[in-house]
Amino acid sequence: MSIIVAYKYAGSPQDAKVNSDGVVDWARVKKSVSEYDPVAVELAKKLAAQGAGEIVGVSVGGADVASSLAKKNALSKGLDRALVLADDATAGWSNTQTAAALAELVKRVDDVRVVFTGDASVDEGAGVMGPLLAGALGWPCLLEVLSVEASGDGLKIRQRTESGTRTVETAGPVVLGVATDAVEVKAASMKEILSAGKKPLETVALADLAAAEVGRNVQAARQPEMRARKKMIFEGENAAAQLIDALKTDGIL
């Protein structure tokens, strides 16, 4: 059986520059596996340790996703191998297009039992890839997953809910969005980084995948308007009420 982890090779917005026209410049941002994806890998490793099979990473991104640096960064986390779509044409893709391509990569792996995703990507933080990928595959999806263990031919999944936690058992393949604090992630050792270079990474050409037709049309980009501070001070017993009235006057509340 196979366990899949969908990961993203992305840059942190904290290192990006916003131009005067409001467009974000990512040119000098150093990329790495997105912040919460290693948590998904750790949960996949725990499941694999129970005899569930190899761990395959899948990713969609620019040409740099297949670079030696990206390969070592991803495979040193604990993946056995990777299958990627590395094409700069994906730069302007919507989340729906990316999910459809990830689903095509998943279908190229035999006997997939489960697909793990991180909670959200560090660059966009939309938190929608798990459900979109599940929709593209036609599989069920569970979010805020805290733990997974093998249970017969299926899986026993512990999931965080608004009222606490619950345990769900599944018999068929499923997409699981892992909670950010599901498990502690340890930094890769030098041995793991060096051995990652010897692990296989297969690149799939864009022309060989059935890409979705759903695009994204950005109409405009601009920086938020900077308002001058009014420097109003509210004091006394009615300070809270005065603040609320001022916020309502400015249309904030």
Side-chain angles (χ1 to χ4, degrees):
M1 295 185 180
S2 298
I3 301 167
I4 287 184
V5 179
Y7 69 91
K8 187 173 186 179
Y9 191 61
S12 172
Q14 294 181 355
D15 302 324
K17 176 184 177 182
V18 180
N19 297 329
S20 58
D21 58 1
V23 176
V24 181
D25 181 5
W26 298 89
R28 298 189 178 183
V29 176
K30 183 179 178 181
K31 291 186 177 182
S32 62
V33 173
S34 189
E35 183 178 7
Y36 299 128
D37 292 342
V39 183
V41 176
E42 286 295 322
L43 218 56
K45 288 164 61 177
K46 289 180 178 294
L47 181 59
Q50 301 173 37
E54 69 169 352
I55 306 174
V56 183
V58 296
S59 187
V60 171
D64 55 359
V65 174
S67 67
S68 175
L69 185 62
K71 175 185 175 181
K72 288 182 180 180
N73 186 223
L75 296 180
S76 65
K77 309 297 183 188
L79 303 173
D80 295 312
R81 62 185 178 95
L83 187 65
V84 303
L85 167 60
D87 196 309
D88 290 336
T90 64
W93 276 14
S94 66
N95 288 322
T96 302
Q97 288 174 293
T98 300
L102 285 171
E104 290 294 310
L105 294 178
V106 170
K107 293 174 184 178
R108 288 173 174 259
V109 181
D110 294 332
D111 198 15
V112 178
R113 189 174 196 177
V114 56
V115 177
F116 289 97
T117 70
D119 180 74
S121 63
V122 68
D123 54 349
E124 292 189 21
V128 298
M129 194 51 62
L132 286 175
L133 177 54
L137 291 168
W139 296 357
C141 178
L142 294 174
L143 303 178
E144 287 293 315
V145 171
L146 297 170
S147 65
V148 183
E149 62 182 73
S151 178
D153 293 332
L155 300 172
K156 183 180 292 185
I157 303 156
R158 188 164 66 91
Q159 178 192 30
R160 179 184 291 133
T161 65
E162 292 184 358
S163 58
T165 63
R166 67 175 180 178
T167 300
V168 179
E169 292 195 19
T170 64
V174 62
V175 176
L176 302 179
V178 178
T180 59
D181 57 349
V183 65
E184 182 181 357
V185 178
K186 297 180 180 180
S189 66
M190 183 57 65
K191 181 180 179 180
E192 289 171 325
I193 295 173
L194 293 175
S195 63
K198 300 178 182 179
K199 294 180 180 180
L201 182 144
E202 179 185 351
T203 302
V204 179
L206 178 57
D208 294 335
L209 295 180
E213 296 290 330
V214 182
R216 176 170 56 189
N217 184 15
V218 179
Q219 297 293 325
R222 61 181 177 84
Q223 288 184 319
E225 295 181 5
M226 299 297 293
R227 296 184 181 181
R229 295 185 179 183
K230 292 190 175 182
K231 300 180 180 180
M232 299 174 65
I233 299 175
F234 305 100
E235 298 178 331
E237 296 180 356
N238 297 324
Q242 295 174 34
L243 172 60
I244 292 173
D245 289 340
L247 292 173
K248 287 181 178 179
T249 301
D250 287 347
I252 299 174
L253 291 180

